[in-house]
Amino acid sequence: MPGVPIVKLHDVLLVTIQDELLDYSVDELQQQITEQVVEQQARGVLIDISVLDVVDSFLARTLHDIAAATSLLAAKTVVVGMRPAVAITLVELGLVLAGLQTALSVEEALDILHEGGRPRRTARR
């Protein structure tokens, strides 16, 4: 199985999950991301899960753990592209992932990473 691509964009690592992951692949991904944060001196990690129809409790906890580990390495992590059904399922499972930041788009995630907070929202008309 090919690995998940990790691309450096300035000071941010873009991690695009392109297919459902097996548990061992999730563990490998966590290891790869933390190693790349150090090697690339990244200040942010953006994990795109927009292709995933399902995020099980193991993957959700691992995303949380990745955010915690990267925080210890002086990098912020934002998960982008969560589908509504995935969000509902995580809530129904009772998973509280405090500290895991999310964004609706890559642009919002980059705002969070570069401005240090929640993105500015503009009124839609």
Side-chain angles (χ1 to χ4, degrees):
M1 176 181 160
V4 174
I6 300 174
V7 178
K8 184 177 181 188
L9 299 169
H10 302 288
D11 62 347
V12 174
L13 298 178
L14 174 59
V15 181
T16 305
I17 298 175
Q18 299 173 341
D19 200 0
E20 301 293 329
L21 298 173
L22 301 174
D23 287 353
Y24 76 88
S25 298
V26 173
D27 286 336
E28 288 176 6
L29 179 62
Q30 182 175 6
Q31 184 70 30
Q32 288 174 335
I33 290 172
T34 54
E35 288 174 359
Q36 287 296 308
V37 165
V38 173
E39 288 176 22
Q40 302 292 331
Q41 298 181 352
R43 292 289 173 216
V45 177
L46 192 159
I47 303 175
D48 182 358
I49 63 168
S50 59
V51 302
L52 299 180
D53 291 322
V54 175
V55 173
D56 64 11
S57 60
F58 181 71
L59 177 56
R61 284 192 183 98
T62 301
L63 291 172
H64 177 264
D65 292 348
I66 289 169
T70 59
S71 177
L72 292 173
L73 298 170
K76 295 178 188 172
T77 297
V78 179
V79 174
V80 66
M82 185 177 299
R83 294 177 183 219
V86 170
I88 290 167
T89 300
L90 294 177
V91 169
E92 287 174 349
L93 290 173
L95 293 175
V96 177
L97 304 172
L100 182 63
Q101 288 191 297
T102 60
L104 295 176
S105 68
V106 171
E107 182 179 16
E108 283 187 10
L110 290 172
D111 283 348
I112 291 169
L113 292 173
H114 288 116
E115 295 177 9
R118 297 304 302 173
R120 292 182 306 263
R121 296 269 179 165
T122 56
R124 293 182 183 163
R125 293 179 182 207

